Amino acid sequence: MSLKEKIKSSPKLKQLVLTLIFQRKPYSARVRWYIWLWLIFPRYFKRGISWGSRLDLVPFNKFSMGKYSRIEKGVLINNGMGDVIIGDEVHTGLGCVIIGPVTLHKHVGLSQYVRILGMHHGIDPDLPHHHQPSQKAPVILEEDAFVGTGTVIMGKKNGEPLVLGKYCRIGANSVVMTDIPPYSVAVGNPAKVVRVWDFEKKEWVKPLATTK
């Protein structure tokens, strides 16, 4: 059994480790200063990470960023719930929020103020919202997916991965809560597919289900 598995299997040991890592409530999403110096501060010297971004990273989950990728000013990345994996040549626009588990494959583009939430809070009315348990809801953006300004992408309530397919395009201010197929254009709240790429005609066409 690995050290990580031993810690997870022991509630007392797990609580001790979390106390050593995180600041006291209500700021428990932020790590203590010595964790910040050891884990987060050195990453700001990595090419492509803006000093104006905010990295809320923990040592027990993964954060990785590929070649020629860019994290712009005002971007928040949090891997407390799960891994955040950013592939090669990925661009995150100003003010984006990425809460893992999230995977962005190569050439993914996020315009400004996109929110990708790989988790859900509980909704027990007897508990304050910051005491609610959270559930993982992984989000995966496949190669060359592009997301318009102000879009919110929320993982599935059942915890299964939500996938935005290869070369899909999401219109500005959309809310994505279901899978989006490859080579499609989706817009709205909730986001719906309005165009698909016809490989024979070499043009965007209406999906069959909505063609009149």
Side-chain angles (χ1 to χ4, degrees):
M1 182 182 293
S2 67
L3 178 60
K4 184 176 180 179
E5 291 171 337
K6 288 181 180 179
I7 293 172
K8 285 187 173 182
S9 64
S10 171
K12 289 185 178 181
L13 185 56
K14 181 178 179 181
Q15 184 58 50
L16 173 61
V17 171
L18 292 177
T19 301
L20 292 173
I21 292 175
F22 291 103
Q23 297 179 22
R24 292 183 178 181
K25 289 182 181 295
Y27 306 109
S28 57
R30 306 297 299 270
V31 297
R32 294 182 182 272
W33 66 269
Y34 44 83
I35 301 294
W36 187 87
L37 279 178
W38 163 56
L39 178 68
I40 299 175
F41 179 67
R43 297 193 182 260
Y44 285 102
F45 293 93
K46 180 178 175 65
R47 177 179 178 181
I49 298 181
S50 169
W51 281 89
S53 63
R54 173 175 157 181
L55 305 179
D56 287 350
L57 304 178
V58 298
F60 50 81
N61 287 325
K62 184 183 293 185
F63 167 70
S64 65
M65 192 172 85
K67 295 184 296 183
Y68 308 117
S69 291
R70 176 70 181 167
I71 296 174
E72 292 287 1
K73 183 178 181 180
V75 173
L76 165 65
I77 294 180
N78 186 307
N79 72 339
M81 283 292 295
D83 300 342
V84 175
I85 309 298
I86 298 174
D88 296 339
E89 298 185 51
V90 171
H91 181 263
T92 63
L94 295 169
C96 289
V97 175
I98 301 172
I99 300 178
V102 170
T103 300
L104 307 178
H105 287 277
K106 64 180 181 180
H107 304 305
V108 163
L110 306 181
S111 196
Q112 297 81 14
Y113 305 105
V114 171
R115 274 72 169 169
I116 305 179
L117 313 176
M119 47 80 71
H120 287 284
H121 284 293
I123 52 173
D124 185 345
D126 293 326
L127 289 174
H129 73 274
H130 53 275
H131 290 170
Q132 298 280 354
S134 298
Q135 174 187 350
K136 291 183 180 181
V139 176
I140 300 170
L141 274 65
E142 295 184 340
E143 182 180 346
D144 207 11
F146 184 85
V147 183
T149 299
T151 291
V152 177
I153 303 172
M154 303 178 67
K156 297 178 181 178
K157 288 286 189 179
N158 62 9
E160 295 180 357
L162 184 148
V163 180
L164 277 65
K166 181 178 180 180
Y167 205 84
C168 71
R169 297 294 185 261
I170 310 299
N173 295 316
S174 296
V175 178
V176 181
M177 297 183 292
T178 59
D179 295 338
I180 303 298
Y183 295 95
S184 66
V185 177
V187 299
N189 179 8
K192 296 182 179 180
V193 175
V194 295
R195 291 288 187 274
V196 295
W197 181 251
D198 188 313
F199 285 91
E200 293 184 358
K201 296 180 180 179
K202 300 295 183 183
E203 63 183 21
W204 294 99
V205 300
K206 291 183 178 181
L208 293 177
T210 60
T211 301
K212 296 182 178 180

